Amino acid sequence: MNLLLMAVAPVMVIIVYIYFQDKYEKEPIGLLLASFLFGAIVSIIIVTILYLFTGRFIPITDEFSVWQQFIQAFVVVALSEEFSKYVIVKYFNQPKKAFNEPYDGIIYAVMVSMGFACTENIMYVLDGGYQTAVLRAFTAVPAHATFGILMGYYMGKAKFSNNRFKLNMFGLFLAVLFHGAYDFFLFISFIPGISIGAFISLAVAIYLSKKAIKKHQEVSSFKTLEDS
């Protein structure tokens, strides 16, 4: 039971933080919960199917091959996982009337990402124990949040733009780029000291995520003169 709580706790902390950054017009709780559940269940199903597909057509046979680990990180893992989240935000959240300001792209993408991260974290923590729970609370879970923020920032812009496809694709690209970089440096840990690259990429993603949140807060159509 304690392990389960430790697996879920960092996810809940991030959700609460992102929710309260939505300063001017909160989203419906039911829609947020549905987004989380879609991420926790539907996204996992999509990823499983994509893993089976990519695993069959892009076999990774050498764990000490930098090139193969690059493909593993960016295509097999990052593209599969971020695409599964993107599909939910694009076809479930973006068309909703409640998606009525750019920040909504961030909060819905994060809810889907945290649903995915919650399921993934529970599996890893129950298998790896307390040490895994603590490590992932400060690395993998925040990383998934930043991937969601960066993707959601551009998907939020896309909803109110004539270049919706381009902006949506760029959001997906950024999420895959940072997710792939984070995983790649961990996957090639057989090179001494290279794992530091994962934490550098995470730090950059956190920095960009904070800027993305602030920018969408500033352009909210629900922001009043008193809030300025």
Side-chain angles (χ1 to χ4, degrees), residues 19-217:
Y19 178 77
F20 282 105
Q21 294 306 304
D22 190 5
K23 294 182 177 181
Y24 307 113
E25 202 260 345
K26 293 285 193 289
E27 299 310 293
I29 296 297
L31 190 52
L32 293 176
L33 179 59
S35 302
F36 178 86
L37 292 175
F38 269 45
I41 301 170
V42 177
S43 184
I44 293 291
I45 294 172
I46 295 173
V47 165
T48 302
I49 294 170
L50 291 175
Y51 277 177
L52 292 173
F53 179 82
T54 55
R56 183 171 182 177
F57 292 98
I58 313 176
I60 306 299
T61 57
D62 185 358
E63 62 179 310
F64 297 106
S65 166
V66 172
W67 171 245
Q68 287 196 21
Q69 293 310 310
F70 179 88
I71 297 299
Q72 171 89 342
F74 282 91
V75 179
V76 177
V77 178
L79 181 58
S80 295
E81 293 187 7
E82 297 310 320
F83 179 75
S84 75
K85 303 170 191 174
Y86 168 83
V87 167
I88 295 170
V89 179
K90 173 70 170 67
Y91 294 103
F92 177 69
N93 296 115
Q94 223 175 35
K96 294 286 192 294
K97 288 184 179 180
F99 196 130
N100 54 13
E101 63 169 328
Y103 185 84
D104 294 347
I106 290 178
I107 192 165
Y108 287 124
V110 169
M111 290 301 296
V112 173
S113 294
M114 288 298 93
F116 179 92
C118 187
T119 300
E120 182 184 66
N121 212 39
I122 289 172
M123 291 188 293
Y124 274 106
V125 169
L126 292 181
D127 181 61
Y130 293 102
Q131 186 174 354
T132 298
V134 173
L135 179 62
R136 288 181 60 84
F138 294 98
T139 55
V141 176
H144 275 292
T146 64
F147 309 149
I149 292 169
L150 295 175
M151 180 164 64
Y153 173 78
Y154 284 95
M155 294 190 78
K157 292 183 70 173
K159 174 71 182 274
F160 308 97
S161 169
N162 293 325
N163 295 316
R164 182 176 292 192
F165 177 79
K166 181 179 178 181
L167 289 168
N168 277 336
M169 286 295 100
F170 191 70
L172 175 60
F173 168 78
L174 269 187
V176 172
L177 177 66
F178 277 94
H179 191 157
Y182 176 81
D183 283 350
F184 176 62
F185 287 114
L186 294 178
F187 290 173
I188 59 170
S189 58
F190 51 84
I191 301 176
I194 199 72
S195 297
I196 190 67
F199 301 101
I200 293 173
S201 69
L202 177 56
V204 173
I206 290 172
Y207 171 75
L208 293 176
S209 294
K210 288 182 177 180
K211 289 188 68 174
I213 290 171
K214 185 176 181 181
K215 283 186 177 181
H216 274 348
Q217 287 173 335

